[in-house]
Amino acid sequence: MTENKPEIAYLPPGVPPTNHGHTVAAWVTMVGITLGVLISSWGVVVAQSWSAWLVLFVLGFVVVGASLVIGLVLRNLGLGQKTVQR
């Protein structure tokens, strides 16, 4: 005969909440990166006909860097994905 002993189940820790980029910090960062890449791309496209194309090219990278910093600031202000304490 079998004994009726309770089984002990060891469950993994809870899964952290996932937003898959549906946060204010993620949206602001991605819009800024997209805008910066478009500015840099436009600078490359008009490079043949305009003398200040390097300014647009560098300005695009400045916009990308600024959007990354703004995204980090927004995440640290609590507008990003929540972290789980373990």
Side-chain angles (χ1 to χ4, degrees):
M1 297 202 132
T2 60
E3 296 182 29
N4 289 333
K5 290 184 180 178
E7 282 190 33
I8 299 175
Y10 297 102
L11 299 176
V15 179
T18 54
N19 295 323
H20 299 288
H22 295 225
T23 63
V24 174
W27 278 98
V28 168
T29 304
M30 286 310 302
V31 167
I33 289 172
T34 304
L35 184 65
V37 168
L38 286 174
I39 292 170
S40 289
S41 300
W42 191 56
V44 170
V45 168
V46 299
Q48 299 292 330
S49 62
W50 198 39
S51 62
W53 67 272
L54 185 62
V55 173
L56 282 178
F57 188 72
V58 172
L59 179 68
F61 282 107
V62 169
V63 170
V64 169
S67 68
L68 290 173
V69 170
I70 291 170
L72 285 173
V73 169
L74 288 174
R75 184 184 72 179
N76 290 335
L77 287 175
L79 296 174
Q81 184 171 338
K82 307 294 184 234
T83 57
V84 174
Q85 301 291 333
R86 292 189 184 222

